[in-house]
Amino acid sequence: MRFTHLFGKTLRQAPAEAETPNHQLLLRARLITQLTAGVYSYLPLGWRALLKIRQIIREEMDAAGGQEVMLPGLQPVELWEESGRRKAFGETLFVLKDRRDRELALGPTHEEVVVDLFKRLVQSYRELPIMIFQMQTKFRDEPRPRGGLMRTREFTMMDLYSFDADYEGLDVSYDKMLVAYKNSFDRCGVPTIKVLADPGTIGGADNNEFMHLTDVGEDQVLICPHCDYAANTEKASFRKRTAEAEAPLPMQEVATPGQKPIDDLVAFLGVPPWKTLKAVFYAHDRAPVFVAVRGDLEVNETKLRNALGGGELRLMDDRAVEAAGLVPGAASPTGLRGVRVVADDSVVDSPNLVGGANTPDVHHLNLNYGRDWQAEIVADIALARDGDPCPNCDTPLQMRRAIEMGHVFKLGTVYSDKLGATYLDAEGKARPVVMGCYGIGVERLLATVIEANHDEKGIIWPASVAPYQVHLVALNIEDAAVREAAEKLYDDLRAAGVDVLYDDREESPGVKFNDADLLGMPLRVTVSRRTLEKQSVELKGRREKESSLVPLADAVSTIAGRAPS
RNA sequence: CGGGGUGUAGCUCAGCCAGGUUUAGAGCGCUUGGUUUGGGACCAAGAGGUCGACAGUUCGAAUCUGUCCACCCCGACCA
């Protein structure tokens, strides 16, 4: 490709809307351009990289036994009602009406459609296992698109679905996918770790996320530096400080004027935080819920929502708490009526806690679970934080930010049951098919490739996904000898099967070198008067500091040898 | 949806508070000519803007007021 023909030129300054390095470089190198919030166009260089990424994923899915298909983006909304996920997705689901006033959804994902497909095509256990995948545009009306390609409303997902006769088969399929995912990210030059995760609206049991650790990630993970424990904060558990065994003491009232936040109360009464009961109020599907955790802990809203069986969860402010007839700052679970109570398992196991008395400026001493109050639900709803002890080995966990590259789920029979997807086993009995689903955000992966491979000058493409392998720079191109040599090299390299971007512009050397660094092709080849005097061309790897000269006669073979096609 | 912020040329921004020499500016980019040429050159001449939209206040609005829209950031959701 000649630079003078390339659609779009580079930007010296990054547009103000971009904050992260990957977003700035995507825009400056003209890989993408934004149409509207969370919707992007992919320009020639960006699209070429994306095609490379897609091909890598395709090869890995094929190698794992996947078969590629293409499923519709337009889906009848009835399918979503049948699976119960129309409500689960809520406003995130794009819904439109056809001319007959029937509702159609723009698919945010494809479990429903793929199960429908399974029902139409598969009858017997003899046909199992099956893995099918596709790369299709997904539409999600995200509450807040952000971070360039990190969270968009229209994006490509590679989604693979596995169908097995039983759970043992699912385990096999799942393990194959773990390998295929790791390989895909590795080949794209993105280091990842596998963490435990929350399944969210997808449902199902076991699931893992592939995370790329970086400060610009929107997720947080907790990693044990000692054992192999790693989990998304949404999911992470930790070893809670165990309460010392004590005989329950009689409950007592104590005046605590003006002591509302737990920190103040702790200082005022001189008790440690883990000897107190902290009350937090949430509106769950609009109904108030009393949430009790020990004073040294915080509530994990994802765990809480799961304990409540899903639904909408919101923190209540003091006014809403008062409106519900409760006392913010001195609330007590004792004698509550008409309010659901959810307790973290830590408070159940801790004797003689200090808690509110449902009277302003009064607290109770020696609250004991079972004797003084009860919870409707007891579960682990505590948020793991940086430094909390690893649940496996007690080592302090480390909190890191990360980008979620992929998410794999053991769905089991959640969808098969809801949508009636069965097969006949060897005895001729109908059984629900056991499913898994596995997704990679393709454009997000592109962004992460850049995030993981750049310096202050620009992108440093891994050869595997570089739009072009060679960036041929002709300096002083108005010099006929230079132009002639550069043109010939360009033609010869292409004839040798090398993807080359040829800077044939009449620009100063600085401009050309800076653009070469910004665009980040793996190998830079420079032709100039200076190199021609020595009958040679100059080669420099994007990651290398030093360049080297190669005789003109050997240029094509040397370059072709260094540049995988 | 709650909180914060920004809309002036392709990109980055000044001008707005104290309305009137602003026929609206700068740098970069773009066009033409010339001089340069191994790390974002220089000179000269140009092109390019309904100052986000609408309504209002005023003799007069980029500037003041109101409404709306768009985009960005922080939170609730996810690949």
Side-chain angles (χ1 to χ4, degrees):
Chain A
M1 168 60 66
R2 288 172 187 273
F3 216 118
T4 49
H5 292 173
L6 185 63
F7 182 49
K9 58 181 174 303
T10 57
L11 255 31
R12 281 206 194 180
Q13 284 170 298
E17 75 252 24
E19 292 198 333
T20 58
N22 79 77
H23 190 190
Q24 293 183 347
L25 291 171
L26 281 162
L27 294 171
R28 283 190 57 209
R30 283 288 195 220
L31 267 34
I32 61 168
T33 199
Q34 187 182 50
L35 179 63
T36 183
V39 181
Y40 288 85
S41 299
Y42 298 86
L43 303 175
L45 293 176
W47 181 238
R48 284 181 73 96
L50 223 31
L51 286 173
K52 294 271 180 79
I53 290 170
R54 292 162 74 113
Q55 186 56 26
I56 287 171
I57 296 171
R58 174 174 292 124
E59 288 168 11
E60 292 300 328
M61 296 306 126
D62 282 344
Q67 299 178 65
E68 188 169 7
V69 296
M70 184 64 166
L71 303 173
L74 215 45
Q75 308 173 359
V77 89
E78 287 78 9
L79 213 42
W80 288 86
E81 269 150 11
E82 229 179 301
S83 71
R85 287 167 99 201
R86 183 174 189 177
K87 191 164 168 265
F89 266 90
E91 305 234 87
T92 301
L93 192 69
F94 274 110
V95 178
L96 55 90
K97 282 185 176 172
D98 68 11
R99 66 208 308 163
R100 281 170 231 156
D101 224 28
R102 291 237 284 256
E103 288 185 316
L104 294 165
L106 293 176
T109 176
H110 282 73
E111 281 79 16
E112 281 77 1
V113 171
V114 85
V115 169
D116 180 84
L117 190 64
F118 177 90
K119 284 163 68 178
R120 290 169 196 265
L121 299 190
V122 181
Q123 285 88 39
S124 160
Y125 75 98
R126 291 169 185 269
E127 298 170 74
L128 301 178
I130 296 168
M131 285 184 178
I132 66 170
F133 73 98
Q134 64 160 357
M135 296 185 213
Q136 165 67 287
T137 307
K138 313 287 179 179
F139 297 91
R140 295 183 186 177
D141 197 356
E142 290 290 340
R144 183 157 83 87
R146 74 179 99 159
L149 260 27
M150 283 303 160
R151 171 164 236 83
T152 56
R153 295 193 293 173
E154 177 180 325
F155 65 100
T156 312
M157 185 157 90
M158 188 299 296
D159 44 333
L160 186 145
Y161 304 89
S162 65
F163 300 90
D164 282 281
D166 50 36
Y167 281 87
E168 290 70 32
L170 172 59
D171 290 343
V172 173
S173 296
Y174 192 84
D175 288 345
K176 282 183 182 168
M177 278 300 118
L178 291 180
V179 173
Y181 268 49
K182 181 85 171 65
N183 289 347
S184 299
F185 301 130
D186 284 352
R187 286 180 60 189
C188 291
V190 176
T192 52
I193 62 166
K194 191 186 72 170
V195 307
L196 302 171
D198 180 77
T201 48
I202 294 275
D206 288 6
N207 72 97
N208 292 105
E209 289 168 332
F210 283 84
M211 291 291 197
H212 171 69
L213 300 179
T214 162
D215 290 342
V216 304
E218 61 176 355
D219 279 275
Q220 293 184 323
V221 294
L222 285 156
I223 303 168
C224 178
H226 185 253
C227 72
D228 63 357
Y229 185 81
N232 193 310
T233 45
E234 293 175 347
K235 176 73 175 180
S237 54
F238 60 103
R239 202 163 291 174
K240 294 168 193 169
R241 160 192 274 277
T242 44
E244 298 116 59
E246 281 176 24
L249 301 171
M251 195 165 82
Q252 262 179 258
E253 275 191 6
V254 58
T256 52
Q259 311 301 313
K260 284 175 83 174
I262 203 87
D263 293 345
D264 291 358
L265 182 72
V266 163
F268 182 81
L269 293 175
V271 295
W274 59 87
K275 295 289 283 182
T276 66
L277 183 152
K278 183 155 75 179
V280 188
F281 291 96
Y282 282 91
H284 175 244
D285 290 338
R286 303 224 156 145
V289 178
F290 183 107
V291 179
V293 296
R294 218 168 50 190
D296 58 324
L297 304 174
E298 282 172 40
V299 176
N300 177 325
E301 293 188 8
T302 304
K303 288 184 183 177
L304 175 60
R305 181 180 302 107
N306 289 341
L308 287 162
E312 191 203 15
L313 199 62
R314 277 198 121 124
L315 196 60
M316 291 169 79
D317 58 25
D318 283 359
R319 277 185 34 211
V321 171
E322 277 167 28
L326 300 158
V327 185
S332 167
T334 48
L336 271 185
R337 253 174 288 156
V339 177
R340 299 178 77 182
V341 178
V342 181
D344 185 63
D345 47 22
S346 61
V347 287
V348 172
D349 299 336
S350 302
N352 301 327
L353 297 177
V354 175
N358 284 333
T359 310
D361 301 329
V362 179
H363 281 77
H364 281 311
L365 302 182
N366 305 323
L367 282 172
N368 283 278
Y369 184 80
R371 182 189 73 182
D372 305 320
W373 64 287
Q374 298 244 318
E376 179 188 330
I377 298 168
V378 176
D380 168 30
I381 53 165
L383 182 70
R385 294 163 296 192
D386 191 36
D388 280 335
C390 171
N392 294 341
C393 71
D394 259 354
T395 309
L397 295 169
Q398 292 176 357
M399 172 103 80
R400 295 286 306 274
R401 298 198 75 90
I403 298 170
E404 182 183 352
M405 303 308 309
H407 201 160
V408 296
F409 304 79
K410 287 185 184 176
L411 295 176
T413 59
V414 182
Y415 293 89
S416 322
D417 291 338
K418 277 183 193 152
L419 300 167
T422 60
Y423 67 93
L424 292 179
D425 69 10
E427 274 82 53
K429 250 173 65 187
R431 295 188 174 279
V433 68
V434 182
M435 289 179 63
C437 75
Y438 318 83
I440 295 176
V442 179
E443 291 88 3
R444 181 184 287 183
L445 176 50
L446 171 67
T448 309
V449 167
I450 294 171
E451 192 59 48
N453 299 281
H454 75 273
D455 61 15
E456 65 289 344
K457 306 278 303 187
I459 302 168
I460 306 173
W461 288 113
S464 57
V465 297
Y468 292 92
Q469 296 306 318
V470 171
H471 192 130
L472 174 60
V473 178
L475 301 183
N476 332 107
I477 196 163
E478 65 292 336
D479 182 320
V482 171
R483 179 175 284 275
E484 197 184 319
E487 293 282 337
K488 180 167 189 322
L489 188 53
Y490 176 53
D491 289 342
D492 291 350
L493 284 172
R494 284 189 302 154
V498 178
D499 280 336
V500 38
L501 178 63
Y502 169 33
D503 192 342
D504 57 341
R505 296 174 300 172
E506 293 189 10
E507 286 287 355
S508 68
V511 169
K512 294 194 167 199
F513 286 142
N514 278 299
D515 270 343
D517 289 340
L518 171 63
L519 296 179
M521 305 314 162
L523 185 62
R524 189 183 81 191
V525 177
T526 306
V527 178
S528 69
R529 287 189 192 123
R530 194 189 284 185
T531 66
L532 291 182
E533 277 167 18
K534 296 176 187 161
Q535 290 298 306
S536 59
V537 299
E538 179 196 274
L539 267 50
K540 180 181 166 298
R542 178 59 178 85
R543 280 184 198 280
E544 296 163 10
K545 272 199 116 131
E546 302 300 323
S547 59
S548 59
L549 287 178
V550 173
L552 254 176
D554 306 336
V556 173
S557 59
T558 306
I559 293 164
R562 282 186 61 168
S565 43

